[in-house]
Amino acid sequence: MRRLKICCDASCVAAFYDRTRNNNGVWHSTRSCGNPPMRAAIHEVAAAHSV
Ligand SMILES: [Zn+2]
């Protein structure tokens, strides 16, 4: 199930669909927004960029 969220980066606040396994994503891109220890989700980030 996809959830539309707002990026938690105050300088970004882009809308995005949370594609993380646990629906705990808070940035629309873990590469450009924030810098969480979520290396395991890199492939999901790549998927988001392909949209
Ligand atoms: Zn963002």
Side-chain angles (χ1 to χ4, degrees):
M1 183 174 184
R2 293 176 180 175
R3 285 180 170 277
L4 184 61
K5 294 186 175 182
I6 302 297
C7 184
C8 284
D9 188 317
S11 64
C12 174
V13 297
F16 72 105
Y17 282 105
D18 188 348
R19 293 166 178 261
T20 61
R21 299 185 190 87
N22 302 318
N23 267 354
N24 62 353
V26 291
W27 293 283
H28 87 275
S29 169
T30 54
R31 297 181 83 179
S32 62
C33 303
N35 190 20
M38 295 178 64
R39 300 304 180 191
I42 284 180
H43 63 284
E44 294 175 355
V45 173
H49 277 252
S50 67
V51 174

